[in-house]
Amino acid sequence: MVLDRGFLARPALEVAPDLLGALLHHDSPDGEVVLRLTEVEAYHGEADPGSHAFRGRTARNAVMFGPAGQLYAYFTYGMHTCANIVCGAEGAATAVLLRAAEVVAGVELARRRRGAQVADRDLARGPARLTVAAGIRLADTGADLLAPPFLLESATARPPVASGPRVGVAGDGGSEAYPWRFWIPGEPTVSAYRAHAPRRKTGL
């Protein structure tokens, strides 16, 4: 079933675990890649010290303020693009970071983008690898994920869900007080957990 805007127009902490197992389609000029989401992180806007919106609206994070269903893409470490699904009420600045996925269609295209020697489990294992495999670019920020060339479908069956601290987020936002990373336990495509590195932040 294709997801609708109402599904995404809920708080990030409700949407994030419900996205596990969902299918993200991206039909680019090179062809279509379909990802089954296996790991995500919730970010709760101005109330969340790990969020890009923690200090309010800026030119960079404006897309986070809605409407739900938009793609928020951002550049990190000067080399990687990360992809997020805007959710919640318009103006709330909440979003879900897509951390990892299984490539279920378009595997050869994803492999051409990621490298011929990359194992299937690693094609979209981690947020930067996920965007490369799917062909998502920084220029796609603001795109509607509920309209071509994108599409979101619900999971065919609800998977089990595990939760814990977010990956690589500095300060309080990366602590156990914010167990807002959700993943499918036992899924080999889930990225390896690491605590934040000094002077670095990958939250949104």
Side-chain angles (χ1 to χ4, degrees):
M1 181 178 68
V2 176
L3 295 180
D4 60 25
R5 215 166 301 279
F7 175 91
L8 299 172
R10 299 179 292 147
L13 285 170
E14 294 180 15
V15 174
D18 287 350
L19 282 171
L20 293 175
L23 301 178
L24 172 63
H25 299 245
H26 183 212
D27 192 4
S28 73
D30 297 328
E32 185 181 42
V33 169
V34 182
L35 304 178
R36 174 179 169 263
L37 302 177
T38 58
E39 181 185 10
V40 297
E41 288 179 347
Y43 288 85
H44 199 52
E46 294 168 281
D48 180 356
S51 172
H52 286 177
F54 183 54
R55 291 180 173 83
R57 187 175 184 134
T58 66
R60 181 196 192 196
N61 68 25
V63 173
M64 285 185 71
F65 287 79
Q70 286 188 321
L71 170 69
Y72 171 46
Y74 69 90
F75 209 44
T76 187
Y77 295 168
M79 66 183 78
H80 300 307
T81 298
C82 296
N84 315 272
I85 300 174
V86 175
C87 57
E90 192 162 357
T94 62
V96 175
L97 171 67
L98 308 183
R99 280 209 57 85
E102 174 192 8
V103 180
V104 295
V107 173
E108 291 307 316
L109 175 55
R111 187 174 287 114
R112 289 201 300 272
R113 290 168 171 165
R114 289 276 293 114
Q117 303 306 313
V118 176
D120 286 359
R121 63 170 280 177
D122 292 325
L123 288 173
R125 187 173 181 245
R129 294 172 176 177
L130 184 153
T131 55
V132 173
I136 295 173
R137 305 162 300 152
L138 186 63
D140 291 319
T141 195
D144 188 354
L145 293 171
L146 303 178
F150 294 98
L151 180 70
L152 274 170
E153 288 187 275
S154 61
T156 54
R158 183 172 175 82
V161 177
S163 66
R166 295 176 294 198
V167 176
V169 179
D172 291 342
S175 71
E176 293 185 0
Y178 294 85
W180 294 354
R181 178 171 65 101
F182 303 92
W183 68 93
I184 301 174
E187 168 57 52
T189 60
V190 171
S191 59
Y193 174 76
R194 70 182 188 285
H196 77 273
R199 300 188 189 136
R200 289 186 174 183
K201 176 182 178 183
T202 59
L204 65 122

